[in-house]
Amino acid sequence: MSIAFFMAHSGIDQAQLPPDFVTQVSNYQEQLQQFIESTEKDTQVQWQYQVPELGEGGSCSLFDQLSATPYDLAARLGGPTAGNLQLLQQVTALVKFYQQHSGSQWFGVYKKIDQKIDQTDTGLDGNAVLVKLAYFGAASRAEFPLTPEFAAISNNSTVGISGKGRIINNVSAYLATGGEYYTCDPKVQAEACLPILAADGRVLGIIDSEAFTQNIFTGAELALLVAVATSLSTILS
């Protein structure tokens, strides 16, 4: 995906970006592509991962309380097929690249799935969900419902529905002004959530990055996020 298309459709405020921002994004795109091509086949993927216990009603994660049952990503994607393996290898390699170059403490890549496909799941309701494919950092919830109700408390769901990015460089100030925020880790001081867009503007998923310091998602750090989001457009298409 072109940088210009993403910037025009993602809702990022371009007024405060440095003059060389697009060049920074382009350079990260090239480095990222080279990294994925050179490491993809040797990248180990997680078909299952730990998740927190959910509170009453399933809306909030209970911090530092892990579920005894790991999340089965293979089942949610339709099985450990060759296609799913390649998808997860590419996404996992991308996450490793981001971790090496970013100052954030948590990062995840989520794919939009239009309907839950695990036929043993009694929660089949036709609602789309965001499913976490790969991440680094503390254990966190695996799925975010794409419903107006959940979007009222979740940046991930909001971005997944609207296709517009949301960057909060000071969580405390955001909350003080009445902003709704889904707290997974109380140490998080800044969050950037960007859409992954198809060539026609459809939302394919999102990326979510969290940091323990304020005002991190500017300049080169934001350019890195945009490079990741635009690179994932091809991977998830």
Side-chain angles (χ1 to χ4, degrees):
M1 166 170 291
S2 74
I3 301 170
F5 181 92
F6 181 84
M7 297 301 293
H9 289 79
S10 65
I12 295 176
D13 183 4
Q14 302 182 52
Q16 303 299 320
L17 299 179
D20 64 341
F21 184 79
V22 172
T23 300
Q24 291 181 25
V25 175
S26 180
N27 289 339
Y28 276 129
Q29 285 177 325
E30 293 179 7
Q31 295 174 44
L32 179 53
Q33 183 61 35
Q34 292 173 2
F35 184 85
I36 292 175
E37 290 177 354
S38 64
T39 64
E40 171 190 344
K41 292 183 179 180
D42 295 324
T43 299
Q44 299 296 311
V45 305
Q46 284 187 286
W47 292 107
Q48 294 183 331
Y49 51 77
Q50 289 186 306
V51 291
E53 291 281 4
L54 296 182
E56 185 177 354
S59 60
C60 295
S61 299
L62 301 179
F63 185 63
D64 275 349
Q65 295 187 39
L66 295 181
S67 171
T69 304
Y71 181 79
D72 191 347
L73 180 60
R76 181 57 78 229
L77 296 179
T81 65
N84 284 334
L85 174 61
Q86 182 181 39
L87 168 67
L88 293 184
Q89 284 179 319
Q90 291 178 347
V91 173
T92 301
L94 177 145
V95 169
K96 289 182 178 179
F97 178 90
Y98 182 79
Q99 185 174 19
Q100 291 174 8
H101 292 81
S102 171
S104 68
Q105 282 70 46
W106 194 96
F107 177 74
V109 175
Y110 297 78
K111 179 181 180 181
K112 179 182 177 182
I113 294 182
D114 288 330
Q115 184 174 348
K116 296 185 177 184
I117 59 176
D118 181 356
Q119 299 302 314
T120 65
D121 189 340
T122 58
L124 287 170
D125 53 14
N127 290 325
V129 292
L130 293 171
V131 175
K132 187 171 66 180
L133 299 181
Y135 73 102
F136 70 79
S140 64
R141 70 181 297 140
E143 296 187 8
F144 284 85
L146 291 178
T147 63
E149 294 78 15
F150 208 85
I153 62 169
S154 166
N155 289 323
N156 286 4
S157 295
T158 297
V159 174
I161 292 173
S162 69
K164 303 298 183 182
R166 178 171 286 187
I167 299 171
I168 302 172
N169 267 310
N170 187 327
V171 170
S172 298
Y174 178 74
L175 290 172
T177 58
E180 295 286 351
Y181 191 76
Y182 182 95
T183 299
C184 180
D185 187 336
K187 295 190 294 295
V188 173
Q189 297 297 312
E191 179 182 18
C193 187
L194 298 182
I196 304 166
L197 301 175
D200 60 3
R202 289 178 299 109
V203 177
L204 300 174
I206 68 157
I207 57 174
D208 183 32
S209 186
E210 300 176 351
F212 296 164
T213 55
Q214 298 175 357
N215 301 312
I216 184 175
F217 297 114
T218 60
E221 188 75 36
L222 182 57
L224 174 60
L225 273 174
V226 171
V228 167
T230 52
S231 298
L232 280 164
S233 297
T234 300
I235 295 174
L236 296 190
S237 294

